[in-house]
Amino acid sequence: MTAKGYTQMKNLEQKIFEYLAANLSPKRFEHSYQVAKLASELAAAHGADVLKAQTAGLLHDCAKSMSDKQLVNFCRKHAKKIKYFDGIRKNAPYLLHCYAGAVIAKEKLGIKDADILNAIINHTLGRENMSALEKIIFIADSASYDRKCGACSKMRALAKKDLDAGFLAALANKIKYVVESMERICGQTIDTWNYYAKEN
């Protein structure tokens, strides 16, 4: 890395931390840090870009401080067409933080890398044909070090050995949680499950 590239990276890192500190609760900030930590480890284990994983991990929840109403209005104005927008808006508007977060990352923090932005967008609901980075952030959010349950520990260990198996376990665990909570499953998550279940 050149001296200029290193300086740019450090400046971006500082900008990200300043934004998160100003816009997230301490607990959410800590979660974002822990997601970035696990994402970096998974990226290193599977030959993915560690800096991209760290950046996406830090920013995945950067819109979490917005209310449901703010998220709906923000996405109507700024986000590109969202496939299941009406269903999400009616049943689980908090899920829109994924889409809002990508807009914030791009417009306020200057993140232009499409893979990082897609990892932010798809870290909760997933999508068909996800990149390695998208899977890494999905897993890192689901099984971050601040999540102390036994299932999360098993997912972390599995994902470090086999990224695809870890992703499928994280996706299955997320669906199980939604079903046990008697909540609706978003169509995007159903599409993701059907795509990867069919592959396996």
Side-chain angles (χ1 to χ4, degrees), residues 4 8 23 32 42 53 62 119 127 144 146 156 164 183 187 192:
K4 182 180 179 181
Q8 289 175 335
N23 289 277
S32 298
L42 292 175
C62 66
R127 73 175 175 102
S144 58
D146 54 314
R156 287 193 293 268
D164 290 333
E183 296 180 4
T192 305

Side-chain angles (χ1 to χ4, degrees), residues 11-27:
N11 288 342
L12 174 60
E13 185 180 70
Q14 181 178 350
K15 192 175 181 181
I16 289 172
F17 272 97
E18 287 176 352
Y19 183 88
L20 296 180
N23 289 277
L24 298 182
S25 68
K27 184 177 180 180

Side-chain angles (χ1 to χ4, degrees), residues 73-181:
N73 291 336
F74 184 90
C75 287
R76 275 179 172 153
K77 185 175 181 180
H78 298 287
K80 293 181 179 180
K81 187 177 180 181
I82 299 171
K83 186 175 181 182
Y84 291 100
F85 178 78
D86 286 338
I88 295 172
R89 174 182 61 81
K90 292 176 182 177
N91 301 308
Y94 56 87
L95 293 175
L96 293 171
H97 78 278
C98 306
Y99 302 96
V103 174
I104 290 170
K106 183 177 181 180
E107 301 300 330
K108 293 192 176 184
L109 297 167
I111 305 298
K112 305 300 182 185
D113 187 279
D115 204 16
I116 293 175
L117 297 175
N118 282 333
I120 295 170
I121 290 171
N122 297 303
H123 78 267
T124 297
L125 303 176
R127 73 175 175 102
E128 299 175 0
N129 196 29
M130 293 169 75
S131 70
L133 181 61
E134 288 175 281
K135 292 177 182 177
I136 284 169
I137 301 304
F138 189 99
I139 296 165
D141 178 44
S142 299
S144 58
Y145 287 112
D146 54 314
R147 302 190 192 277
K148 304 301 183 182
C149 65
C152 292
S153 179
K154 290 178 181 178
M155 281 190 284
R156 287 193 293 268
L158 178 61
K160 288 176 182 180
K161 295 178 181 178
D162 187 325
L163 185 65
D164 290 333
F167 168 72
L168 200 60
L171 179 60
N173 189 66
K174 183 167 289 190
I175 292 172
K176 181 178 179 233
Y177 175 82
V178 174
V179 171
E180 290 178 347
S181 300

Side-chain angles (χ1 to χ4, degrees), residues 6 39 58 122 137 171 184 196:
Y6 178 78
L58 286 171
N122 297 303
I137 301 304
L171 179 60
R184 293 173 181 263
Y196 285 100

